[in-house]
Amino acid sequence: MRKPAAKRLDDPHREFVSLFKDNCHRHRPHSVFSDFCEMAALSMSNAVDLSQYAPREARYLEIVKGYSADEVARFPQMLACVTEALEVRMHDCLGQLFMSLEMGNHWKGQFFTPYELAGLMARMTVHDAKEQIQQRGHITVMEPAAGAGAMVIAIADAMREQGLNYQQCLHVTAIDVDPTAAHMCYVQLTLLHVPAVVVVGNSLSLEERGRWFTPAHVLGGWGRRLRERQAVTDMQDLLLPPSATQDEAAADVVVEAAPSPSHGLSPLVQADLF
């Protein structure tokens, strides 16, 4: 009996596109994609963040009302495709789908960094990850223009290549002004179990319109871990001479995935869930 051919690497992507197009017969493509990302993010958030459960459940039900039963049934199938694709390899699955479906035309020419380029930048950024973790226990990443999370995923992947468990020694604060991009980022970081806080906001004006805590952040007790780290830093600032605190600060620089246009965003890391 002939064995079935191995599934091609891009099959989950192609199946997603097929399901997506089936849901576009009565709806605009950009609305279907945006609603899919938001519904997936809402369902994941409500599994761990009870403080925001009620409004997010109401928002989920509001979105669902616009679709037929068959259309609603396709959304979890689309999420299964994304999950399968990320299980095959770490990459910016939703960002690639966004670009291949030409969603950027609706979002005023929005363009997501190709994952290959993000991977190159990530390997240069965390080349000394083992040394940093030995000194401070974990790495903190600030991504002020996260998009779908390509740079964050690439950093996690680069750490994995070094034999490091990014699920235990990496924490991310990812910010994007576009809610759909933030939802894309949150969904992918959740599926990859990256400890993170995804902020819908403006890195330039410091405006914040929402926070999304990944399950890895909540289950890993990262709110407490980050507060404890900040408490140690504050105590060192009080007890050590200026030169010593400057040396310590230099050794504890937050790894930035992209040049940051603002220097006032680090407190976003501190007021975390649990």
Side-chain angles (χ1 to χ4, degrees), residues 98 107 110 112 147 176-184 199-201 209:
F98 181 95
W107 270 272
Q110 188 171 4
F112 291 130
D176 203 279
V177 69
D178 176 39
T180 297
H183 296 150
M184 294 165 67
V199 179
V200 182
R209 302 194 304 277

Side-chain angles (χ1 to χ4, degrees), residues 23 27 31-47 56-79 94 179-180 182-184 186-187 190 212:
N23 269 13
H27 308 275
S31 295
V32 174
F33 192 89
S34 176
D35 287 343
F36 161 74
C37 294
E38 185 173 5
M39 290 169 66
L42 289 166
S43 61
M44 292 173 175
S45 171
N46 277 356
R56 289 184 173 173
E57 181 69 9
R59 174 58 182 160
Y60 182 93
L61 295 175
E62 179 185 354
I63 298 172
V64 166
K65 286 191 300 184
Y67 293 89
S68 69
D70 289 342
E71 290 167 343
V72 171
R74 292 189 187 101
F75 285 119
Q77 296 177 50
M78 291 162 63
L79 181 58
L94 287 176
T180 297
H183 296 150
M184 294 165 67
Y186 178 78
V187 168
T190 292
W212 299 75

Side-chain angles (χ1 to χ4, degrees), residues 77-243:
Q77 296 177 50
M78 291 162 63
L79 181 58
C81 292
V82 177
T83 303
E84 182 179 353
L86 291 175
E87 286 178 348
V88 173
R89 62 186 177 92
M90 294 182 70
H91 66 294
D92 182 12
C93 175
L94 287 176
Q96 290 182 10
L97 287 167
F98 181 95
M99 298 305 297
S100 67
L101 292 168
E102 299 182 348
M103 293 291 102
N105 290 340
H106 174 74
W107 270 272
K108 300 180 181 179
Q110 188 171 4
F111 178 83
F112 291 130
T113 303
Y115 189 72
E116 292 73 15
L117 177 58
L120 176 62
M121 296 169 62
R123 286 189 289 273
M124 293 189 294
T125 300
V126 294
H127 65 91
D128 58 345
K130 289 185 178 180
E131 179 182 346
Q132 294 187 52
I133 292 169
Q134 288 175 353
Q135 293 177 355
R136 296 182 293 281
H138 63 264
I139 289 177
T140 304
V141 170
M142 170 72 74
E143 169 54 292
M151 271 302 306
V152 175
I153 296 170
I155 285 175
D157 196 13
M159 294 177 65
R160 183 186 59 83
E161 290 176 351
Q162 296 180 42
L164 298 169
N165 186 346
Y166 66 82
Q167 298 179 357
Q168 296 181 359
C169 57
L170 169 68
H171 189 274
V172 174
T173 299
I175 307 167
D176 203 279
V177 69
D178 176 39
T180 297
H183 296 150
M184 294 165 67
C185 181
Y186 178 78
V187 168
Q188 296 198 114
L189 298 188
T190 292
L191 291 175
L192 292 170
H193 204 64
V194 177
V197 180
V198 179
V199 179
V200 182
N202 191 317
S203 298
L204 292 172
S205 66
L206 305 186
E207 174 194 8
E208 181 182 327
R209 302 194 304 277
R211 289 191 184 193
W212 299 75
F213 303 95
T214 65
H217 168 91
V218 176
L219 298 175
W222 278 94
R224 173 186 52 79
R225 292 178 64 177
L226 293 169
R227 287 193 297 272
E228 290 175 352
R229 175 63 187 172
Q230 186 61 46
V232 170
T233 301
D234 292 344
M235 185 61 69
Q236 290 174 339
D237 289 344
L238 290 173
L239 298 179
L240 296 177
S243 60

